[in-house]
Amino acid sequence: MPIVVPILLLVIIMLQIFLSKNENKRLGLILPAINVIISVMVLILTVYFVNQTIPQIIIQVIMLFLLFNISTAILLAIYFACRKKVKKKNEIDKMNIQDLNRSEERRVGKE
């Protein structure tokens, strides 16, 4: 049982990396969105079922929101890091295509 949690975390991180590197930008936002939805559901259930004073509920909601969204921040960091690499690769590909076009134009112009 103790090995299940690290394996599950590794699978989630690998899935996030895979989705973030995809050409479709929105795929990488699926896991963070699911995480935010779950945290909001937990907050709603907490407010609904807790019998405390208003200041205690507010403090509890803030703390739970921050706690549940640590993983969202990590998933978003992975997303932005991967998107930065994809964007850089796409720019290099465009530059290579432009260089090939220029060299082709020069070659055709010499003939």
mmCIF file of all heavy atoms in Angstrom, residues 9-49:
data_model
loop_
_atom_site.group_PDB
_atom_site.id
_atom_site.type_symbol
_atom_site.label_atom_id
_atom_site.label_comp_id
_atom_site.label_asym_id
_atom_site.label_seq_id
_atom_site.Cartn_x
_atom_site.Cartn_y
_atom_site.Cartn_z
ATOM 1 N N LEU A 9 1.330 9.370 -7.951
ATOM 2 C CA LEU A 9 1.865 10.720 -8.178
ATOM 3 C C LEU A 9 2.733 10.773 -9.425
ATOM 4 O O LEU A 9 2.655 11.724 -10.217
ATOM 5 C CB LEU A 9 2.651 11.196 -6.955
ATOM 6 C CG LEU A 9 1.831 11.510 -5.712
ATOM 7 C CD1 LEU A 9 2.751 11.832 -4.551
ATOM 8 C CD2 LEU A 9 0.860 12.634 -5.967
ATOM 9 N N LEU A 10 3.554 9.761 -9.617
ATOM 10 C CA LEU A 10 4.414 9.703 -10.797
ATOM 11 C C LEU A 10 3.580 9.604 -12.075
ATOM 12 O O LEU A 10 3.871 10.279 -13.069
ATOM 13 C CB LEU A 10 5.378 8.518 -10.690
ATOM 14 C CG LEU A 10 6.421 8.395 -11.784
ATOM 15 C CD1 LEU A 10 7.367 9.587 -11.751
ATOM 16 C CD2 LEU A 10 7.201 7.109 -11.618
ATOM 17 N N VAL A 11 2.533 8.797 -12.039
ATOM 18 C CA VAL A 11 1.652 8.656 -13.206
ATOM 19 C C VAL A 11 0.966 9.987 -13.521
ATOM 20 O O VAL A 11 0.886 10.397 -14.686
ATOM 21 C CB VAL A 11 0.612 7.537 -12.974
ATOM 22 C CG1 VAL A 11 -0.481 7.572 -14.020
ATOM 23 C CG2 VAL A 11 1.296 6.185 -12.964
ATOM 24 N N ILE A 12 0.495 10.692 -12.489
ATOM 25 C CA ILE A 12 -0.160 11.989 -12.707
ATOM 26 C C ILE A 12 0.821 12.996 -13.297
ATOM 27 O O ILE A 12 0.482 13.735 -14.234
ATOM 28 C CB ILE A 12 -0.771 12.508 -11.384
ATOM 29 C CG1 ILE A 12 -1.967 11.644 -10.999
ATOM 30 C CG2 ILE A 12 -1.180 13.971 -11.505
ATOM 31 C CD1 ILE A 12 -2.523 11.925 -9.620
ATOM 32 N N ILE A 13 2.043 13.029 -12.781
ATOM 33 C CA ILE A 13 3.052 13.960 -13.309
ATOM 34 C C ILE A 13 3.405 13.612 -14.747
ATOM 35 O O ILE A 13 3.508 14.509 -15.603
ATOM 36 C CB ILE A 13 4.301 13.963 -12.398
ATOM 37 C CG1 ILE A 13 3.958 14.636 -11.064
ATOM 38 C CG2 ILE A 13 5.471 14.674 -13.076
ATOM 39 C CD1 ILE A 13 5.030 14.510 -10.016
ATOM 40 N N MET A 14 3.572 12.333 -15.046
ATOM 41 C CA MET A 14 3.888 11.928 -16.421
ATOM 42 C C MET A 14 2.734 12.271 -17.369
ATOM 43 O O MET A 14 2.962 12.724 -18.493
ATOM 44 C CB MET A 14 4.203 10.430 -16.482
ATOM 45 C CG MET A 14 5.428 10.020 -15.685
ATOM 46 S SD MET A 14 6.925 10.791 -16.264
ATOM 47 C CE MET A 14 7.180 9.883 -17.767
ATOM 48 N N LEU A 15 1.500 12.070 -16.914
ATOM 49 C CA LEU A 15 0.338 12.415 -17.724
ATOM 50 C C LEU A 15 0.284 13.926 -17.975
ATOM 51 O O LEU A 15 0.014 14.365 -19.091
ATOM 52 C CB LEU A 15 -0.946 11.941 -17.041
ATOM 53 C CG LEU A 15 -2.254 12.256 -17.767
ATOM 54 C CD1 LEU A 15 -2.289 11.577 -19.134
ATOM 55 C CD2 LEU A 15 -3.435 11.824 -16.916
ATOM 56 N N GLN A 16 0.589 14.708 -16.954
ATOM 57 C CA GLN A 16 0.590 16.164 -17.110
ATOM 58 C C GLN A 16 1.664 16.600 -18.108
ATOM 59 O O GLN A 16 1.416 17.463 -18.944
ATOM 60 C CB GLN A 16 0.803 16.851 -15.755
ATOM 61 C CG GLN A 16 0.867 18.353 -15.834
ATOM 62 C CD GLN A 16 -0.413 19.003 -16.307
ATOM 63 O OE1 GLN A 16 -1.480 18.403 -16.272
ATOM 64 N NE2 GLN A 16 -0.322 20.231 -16.758
ATOM 65 N N ILE A 17 2.831 16.001 -18.037
ATOM 66 C CA ILE A 17 3.899 16.329 -18.991
ATOM 67 C C ILE A 17 3.467 15.961 -20.406
ATOM 68 O O ILE A 17 3.645 16.747 -21.341
ATOM 69 C CB ILE A 17 5.212 15.625 -18.593
ATOM 70 C CG1 ILE A 17 5.769 16.237 -17.302
ATOM 71 C CG2 ILE A 17 6.242 15.702 -19.723
ATOM 72 C CD1 ILE A 17 6.924 15.468 -16.706
ATOM 73 N N PHE A 18 2.884 14.785 -20.570
ATOM 74 C CA PHE A 18 2.425 14.347 -21.892
ATOM 75 C C PHE A 18 1.370 15.296 -22.447
ATOM 76 O O PHE A 18 1.428 15.702 -23.612
ATOM 77 C CB PHE A 18 1.873 12.921 -21.805
ATOM 78 C CG PHE A 18 1.226 12.450 -23.067
ATOM 79 C CD1 PHE A 18 1.989 12.080 -24.161
ATOM 80 C CD2 PHE A 18 -0.164 12.397 -23.170
ATOM 81 C CE1 PHE A 18 1.391 11.655 -25.338
ATOM 82 C CE2 PHE A 18 -0.768 11.973 -24.340
ATOM 83 C CZ PHE A 18 0.011 11.604 -25.420
ATOM 84 N N LEU A 19 0.382 15.655 -21.623
ATOM 85 C CA LEU A 19 -0.687 16.540 -22.089
ATOM 86 C C LEU A 19 -0.166 17.946 -22.378
ATOM 87 O O LEU A 19 -0.619 18.603 -23.311
ATOM 88 C CB LEU A 19 -1.807 16.600 -21.045
ATOM 89 C CG LEU A 19 -2.613 15.323 -20.848
ATOM 90 C CD1 LEU A 19 -3.583 15.474 -19.684
ATOM 91 C CD2 LEU A 19 -3.340 14.929 -22.111
ATOM 92 N N SER A 20 0.801 18.397 -21.601
ATOM 93 C CA SER A 20 1.336 19.748 -21.784
ATOM 94 C C SER A 20 2.179 19.868 -23.040
ATOM 95 O O SER A 20 2.266 20.945 -23.637
ATOM 96 C CB SER A 20 2.170 20.159 -20.568
ATOM 97 O OG SER A 20 1.355 20.213 -19.417
ATOM 98 N N LYS A 21 2.824 18.795 -23.451
ATOM 99 C CA LYS A 21 3.676 18.831 -24.640
ATOM 100 C C LYS A 21 2.889 18.669 -25.934
ATOM 101 O O LYS A 21 3.440 18.820 -27.014
ATOM 102 C CB LYS A 21 4.744 17.734 -24.560
ATOM 103 C CG LYS A 21 5.842 18.042 -23.580
ATOM 104 C CD LYS A 21 6.905 16.983 -23.625
ATOM 105 C CE LYS A 21 8.059 17.328 -22.715
ATOM 106 N NZ LYS A 21 9.112 16.321 -22.783
ATOM 107 N N ASN A 22 1.611 18.379 -25.826
ATOM 108 C CA ASN A 22 0.777 18.193 -27.002
ATOM 109 C C ASN A 22 0.628 19.511 -27.748
ATOM 110 O O ASN A 22 0.743 20.585 -27.169
ATOM 111 C CB ASN A 22 -0.591 17.666 -26.570
ATOM 112 C CG ASN A 22 -1.353 17.048 -27.702
ATOM 113 O OD1 ASN A 22 -1.519 17.646 -28.754
ATOM 114 N ND2 ASN A 22 -1.825 15.836 -27.472
ATOM 115 N N GLU A 23 0.366 19.443 -29.044
ATOM 116 C CA GLU A 23 0.198 20.650 -29.852
ATOM 117 C C GLU A 23 -1.002 21.475 -29.397
ATOM 118 O O GLU A 23 -0.989 22.696 -29.487
ATOM 119 C CB GLU A 23 0.051 20.278 -31.338
ATOM 120 C CG GLU A 23 1.323 19.769 -31.965
ATOM 121 C CD GLU A 23 2.442 20.799 -31.978
ATOM 122 O OE1 GLU A 23 2.158 21.991 -32.245
ATOM 123 O OE2 GLU A 23 3.583 20.412 -31.701
ATOM 124 N N ASN A 24 -2.040 20.813 -28.908
ATOM 125 C CA ASN A 24 -3.211 21.515 -28.400
ATOM 126 C C ASN A 24 -2.889 22.092 -27.025
ATOM 127 O O ASN A 24 -2.635 21.348 -26.077
ATOM 128 C CB ASN A 24 -4.403 20.561 -28.318
ATOM 129 C CG ASN A 24 -5.693 21.251 -27.963
ATOM 130 O OD1 ASN A 24 -5.701 22.385 -27.508
ATOM 131 N ND2 ASN A 24 -6.794 20.561 -28.171
ATOM 132 N N LYS A 25 -2.915 23.396 -26.902
ATOM 133 C CA LYS A 25 -2.534 24.053 -25.649
ATOM 134 C C LYS A 25 -3.466 23.717 -24.492
ATOM 135 O O LYS A 25 -3.040 23.670 -23.340
ATOM 136 C CB LYS A 25 -2.537 25.573 -25.840
ATOM 137 C CG LYS A 25 -1.515 26.078 -26.791
ATOM 138 C CD LYS A 25 -1.634 27.580 -26.933
ATOM 139 C CE LYS A 25 -0.665 28.099 -27.961
ATOM 140 N NZ LYS A 25 -0.760 29.545 -28.112
ATOM 141 N N ARG A 26 -4.712 23.484 -24.788
ATOM 142 C CA ARG A 26 -5.705 23.301 -23.728
ATOM 143 C C ARG A 26 -5.632 21.943 -23.047
ATOM 144 O O ARG A 26 -6.123 21.786 -21.926
ATOM 145 C CB ARG A 26 -7.090 23.533 -24.286
ATOM 146 C CG ARG A 26 -7.280 24.970 -24.700
ATOM 147 C CD ARG A 26 -8.695 25.262 -25.083
ATOM 148 N NE ARG A 26 -8.793 26.657 -25.457
ATOM 149 C CZ ARG A 26 -9.381 27.086 -26.550
ATOM 150 N NH1 ARG A 26 -9.923 26.215 -27.377
ATOM 151 N NH2 ARG A 26 -9.447 28.363 -26.817
ATOM 152 N N LEU A 27 -5.046 20.965 -23.684
ATOM 153 C CA LEU A 27 -4.984 19.635 -23.071
ATOM 154 C C LEU A 27 -4.205 19.649 -21.759
ATOM 155 O O LEU A 27 -4.538 18.929 -20.825
ATOM 156 C CB LEU A 27 -4.352 18.632 -24.034
ATOM 157 C CG LEU A 27 -5.248 18.109 -25.150
ATOM 158 C CD1 LEU A 27 -4.473 17.138 -26.035
ATOM 159 C CD2 LEU A 27 -6.474 17.443 -24.601
ATOM 160 N N GLY A 28 -3.180 20.466 -21.689
ATOM 161 C CA GLY A 28 -2.369 20.542 -20.481
ATOM 162 C C GLY A 28 -3.075 21.191 -19.313
ATOM 163 O O GLY A 28 -2.601 21.135 -18.184
ATOM 164 N N LEU A 29 -4.218 21.809 -19.565
ATOM 165 C CA LEU A 29 -4.963 22.465 -18.492
ATOM 166 C C LEU A 29 -6.054 21.580 -17.903
ATOM 167 O O LEU A 29 -6.760 21.989 -16.980
ATOM 168 C CB LEU A 29 -5.577 23.770 -19.019
ATOM 169 C CG LEU A 29 -4.556 24.831 -19.446
ATOM 170 C CD1 LEU A 29 -5.267 25.999 -20.094
ATOM 171 C CD2 LEU A 29 -3.721 25.284 -18.277
ATOM 172 N N ILE A 30 -6.191 20.358 -18.418
ATOM 173 C CA ILE A 30 -7.248 19.462 -17.943
ATOM 174 C C ILE A 30 -7.036 19.071 -16.476
ATOM 175 O O ILE A 30 -7.942 19.207 -15.650
ATOM 176 C CB ILE A 30 -7.337 18.200 -18.830
ATOM 177 C CG1 ILE A 30 -7.860 18.576 -20.211
ATOM 178 C CG2 ILE A 30 -8.225 17.139 -18.189
ATOM 179 C CD1 ILE A 30 -7.815 17.441 -21.207
ATOM 180 N N LEU A 31 -5.863 18.588 -16.139
ATOM 181 C CA LEU A 31 -5.619 18.136 -14.760
ATOM 182 C C LEU A 31 -5.685 19.284 -13.748
ATOM 183 O O LEU A 31 -6.290 19.119 -12.678
ATOM 184 C CB LEU A 31 -4.292 17.388 -14.672
ATOM 185 C CG LEU A 31 -4.232 16.053 -15.417
ATOM 186 C CD1 LEU A 31 -2.859 15.414 -15.261
ATOM 187 C CD2 LEU A 31 -5.312 15.116 -14.950
ATOM 188 N N PRO A 32 -5.084 20.456 -14.038
ATOM 189 C CA PRO A 32 -5.260 21.557 -13.085
ATOM 190 C C PRO A 32 -6.721 21.971 -12.918
ATOM 191 O O PRO A 32 -7.155 22.280 -11.803
ATOM 192 C CB PRO A 32 -4.439 22.700 -13.697
ATOM 193 C CG PRO A 32 -3.414 22.032 -14.524
ATOM 194 C CD PRO A 32 -4.086 20.802 -15.058
ATOM 195 N N ALA A 33 -7.503 21.940 -14.009
ATOM 196 C CA ALA A 33 -8.922 22.303 -13.910
ATOM 197 C C ALA A 33 -9.677 21.295 -13.045
ATOM 198 O O ALA A 33 -10.511 21.688 -12.210
ATOM 199 C CB ALA A 33 -9.531 22.384 -15.298
ATOM 200 N N ILE A 34 -9.393 20.019 -13.226
ATOM 201 C CA ILE A 34 -10.032 18.988 -12.404
ATOM 202 C C ILE A 34 -9.684 19.200 -10.937
ATOM 203 O O ILE A 34 -10.543 19.088 -10.051
ATOM 204 C CB ILE A 34 -9.614 17.574 -12.869
ATOM 205 C CG1 ILE A 34 -10.238 17.262 -14.226
ATOM 206 C CG2 ILE A 34 -10.004 16.510 -11.845
ATOM 207 C CD1 ILE A 34 -9.714 15.995 -14.866
ATOM 208 N N ASN A 35 -8.447 19.544 -10.687
ATOM 209 C CA ASN A 35 -7.995 19.773 -9.317
ATOM 210 C C ASN A 35 -8.721 20.963 -8.680
ATOM 211 O O ASN A 35 -9.132 20.908 -7.520
ATOM 212 C CB ASN A 35 -6.487 19.998 -9.315
ATOM 213 C CG ASN A 35 -5.863 19.602 -8.016
ATOM 214 O OD1 ASN A 35 -6.480 18.956 -7.193
ATOM 215 N ND2 ASN A 35 -4.631 20.009 -7.833
ATOM 216 N N VAL A 36 -8.894 22.044 -9.438
ATOM 217 C CA VAL A 36 -9.605 23.217 -8.912
ATOM 218 C C VAL A 36 -11.071 22.870 -8.658
ATOM 219 O O VAL A 36 -11.641 23.277 -7.631
ATOM 220 C CB VAL A 36 -9.474 24.410 -9.880
ATOM 221 C CG1 VAL A 36 -10.420 25.534 -9.505
ATOM 222 C CG2 VAL A 36 -8.044 24.916 -9.904
ATOM 223 N N ILE A 37 -11.686 22.127 -9.550
ATOM 224 C CA ILE A 37 -13.093 21.739 -9.373
ATOM 225 C C ILE A 37 -13.257 20.904 -8.109
ATOM 226 O O ILE A 37 -14.187 21.117 -7.321
ATOM 227 C CB ILE A 37 -13.599 20.991 -10.619
ATOM 228 C CG1 ILE A 37 -13.715 21.952 -11.799
ATOM 229 C CG2 ILE A 37 -14.940 20.307 -10.345
ATOM 230 C CD1 ILE A 37 -13.937 21.278 -13.130
ATOM 231 N N ILE A 38 -12.353 19.971 -7.892
ATOM 232 C CA ILE A 38 -12.426 19.145 -6.675
ATOM 233 C C ILE A 38 -12.251 20.000 -5.429
ATOM 234 O O ILE A 38 -12.968 19.825 -4.440
ATOM 235 C CB ILE A 38 -11.374 18.010 -6.733
ATOM 236 C CG1 ILE A 38 -11.776 16.991 -7.800
ATOM 237 C CG2 ILE A 38 -11.226 17.335 -5.369
ATOM 238 C CD1 ILE A 38 -10.719 15.946 -8.078
ATOM 239 N N SER A 39 -11.323 20.950 -5.468
ATOM 240 C CA SER A 39 -11.110 21.799 -4.289
ATOM 241 C C SER A 39 -12.336 22.660 -4.004
ATOM 242 O O SER A 39 -12.704 22.862 -2.843
ATOM 243 C CB SER A 39 -9.860 22.664 -4.460
ATOM 244 O OG SER A 39 -10.068 23.690 -5.399
ATOM 245 N N VAL A 40 -12.986 23.162 -5.039
ATOM 246 C CA VAL A 40 -14.200 23.962 -4.832
ATOM 247 C C VAL A 40 -15.317 23.088 -4.266
ATOM 248 O O VAL A 40 -16.066 23.531 -3.373
ATOM 249 C CB VAL A 40 -14.625 24.647 -6.149
ATOM 250 C CG1 VAL A 40 -16.011 25.260 -6.033
ATOM 251 C CG2 VAL A 40 -13.607 25.705 -6.541
ATOM 252 N N MET A 41 -15.425 21.856 -4.739
ATOM 253 C CA MET A 41 -16.438 20.948 -4.194
ATOM 254 C C MET A 41 -16.187 20.672 -2.715
ATOM 255 O O MET A 41 -17.135 20.650 -1.916
ATOM 256 C CB MET A 41 -16.463 19.646 -4.998
ATOM 257 C CG MET A 41 -17.046 19.807 -6.382
ATOM 258 S SD MET A 41 -16.915 18.364 -7.477
ATOM 259 C CE MET A 41 -17.256 16.994 -6.439
ATOM 260 N N VAL A 42 -14.934 20.480 -2.349
ATOM 261 C CA VAL A 42 -14.598 20.248 -0.941
ATOM 262 C C VAL A 42 -14.954 21.477 -0.109
ATOM 263 O O VAL A 42 -15.494 21.350 1.003
ATOM 264 C CB VAL A 42 -13.102 19.893 -0.789
ATOM 265 C CG1 VAL A 42 -12.671 19.949 0.660
ATOM 266 C CG2 VAL A 42 -12.830 18.521 -1.371
ATOM 267 N N LEU A 43 -14.688 22.661 -0.649
ATOM 268 C CA LEU A 43 -15.018 23.883 0.083
ATOM 269 C C LEU A 43 -16.519 24.028 0.280
ATOM 270 O O LEU A 43 -16.976 24.396 1.370
ATOM 271 C CB LEU A 43 -14.479 25.102 -0.655
ATOM 272 C CG LEU A 43 -12.964 25.231 -0.737
ATOM 273 C CD1 LEU A 43 -12.572 26.456 -1.535
ATOM 274 C CD2 LEU A 43 -12.345 25.274 0.638
ATOM 275 N N ILE A 44 -17.275 23.729 -0.747
ATOM 276 C CA ILE A 44 -18.736 23.824 -0.633
ATOM 277 C C ILE A 44 -19.254 22.837 0.407
ATOM 278 O O ILE A 44 -20.091 23.190 1.252
ATOM 279 C CB ILE A 44 -19.394 23.586 -2.011
ATOM 280 C CG1 ILE A 44 -19.091 24.754 -2.944
ATOM 281 C CG2 ILE A 44 -20.900 23.389 -1.864
ATOM 282 C CD1 ILE A 44 -19.486 24.526 -4.379
ATOM 283 N N LEU A 45 -18.756 21.623 0.370
ATOM 284 C CA LEU A 45 -19.182 20.623 1.355
ATOM 285 C C LEU A 45 -18.767 21.019 2.768
ATOM 286 O O LEU A 45 -19.508 20.795 3.729
ATOM 287 C CB LEU A 45 -18.613 19.254 0.989
ATOM 288 C CG LEU A 45 -19.194 18.612 -0.265
ATOM 289 C CD1 LEU A 45 -18.439 17.327 -0.598
ATOM 290 C CD2 LEU A 45 -20.671 18.343 -0.093
ATOM 291 N N THR A 46 -17.596 21.613 2.896
ATOM 292 C CA THR A 46 -17.114 22.044 4.214
ATOM 293 C C THR A 46 -18.017 23.126 4.778
ATOM 294 O O THR A 46 -18.422 23.070 5.942
ATOM 295 C CB THR A 46 -15.668 22.566 4.114
ATOM 296 O OG1 THR A 46 -14.844 21.519 3.632
ATOM 297 C CG2 THR A 46 -15.167 23.042 5.453
ATOM 298 N N VAL A 47 -18.352 24.112 3.964
ATOM 299 C CA VAL A 47 -19.211 25.205 4.424
ATOM 300 C C VAL A 47 -20.606 24.680 4.758
ATOM 301 O O VAL A 47 -21.223 25.106 5.737
ATOM 302 C CB VAL A 47 -19.286 26.323 3.350
ATOM 303 C CG1 VAL A 47 -20.347 27.342 3.692
ATOM 304 C CG2 VAL A 47 -17.924 26.985 3.204
ATOM 305 N N TYR A 48 -21.088 23.755 3.972
ATOM 306 C CA TYR A 48 -22.439 23.242 4.160
ATOM 307 C C TYR A 48 -22.580 22.401 5.436
ATOM 308 O O TYR A 48 -23.592 22.488 6.126
ATOM 309 C CB TYR A 48 -22.848 22.422 2.932
ATOM 310 C CG TYR A 48 -24.264 21.957 2.972
ATOM 311 C CD1 TYR A 48 -25.311 22.854 2.782
ATOM 312 C CD2 TYR A 48 -24.573 20.620 3.204
ATOM 313 C CE1 TYR A 48 -26.636 22.427 2.814
ATOM 314 C CE2 TYR A 48 -25.889 20.187 3.231
ATOM 315 C CZ TYR A 48 -26.913 21.099 3.043
ATOM 316 O OH TYR A 48 -28.209 20.667 3.070
ATOM 317 N N PHE A 49 -21.571 21.598 5.742
ATOM 318 C CA PHE A 49 -21.702 20.649 6.841
ATOM 319 C C PHE A 49 -21.048 21.079 8.151
ATOM 320 O O PHE A 49 -21.144 20.373 9.138
ATOM 321 C CB PHE A 49 -21.140 19.279 6.432
ATOM 322 C CG PHE A 49 -22.016 18.555 5.460
ATOM 323 C CD1 PHE A 49 -21.611 18.357 4.156
ATOM 324 C CD2 PHE A 49 -23.257 18.082 5.847
ATOM 325 C CE1 PHE A 49 -22.421 17.690 3.254
ATOM 326 C CE2 PHE A 49 -24.087 17.417 4.955
ATOM 327 C CZ PHE A 49 -23.666 17.227 3.652
#
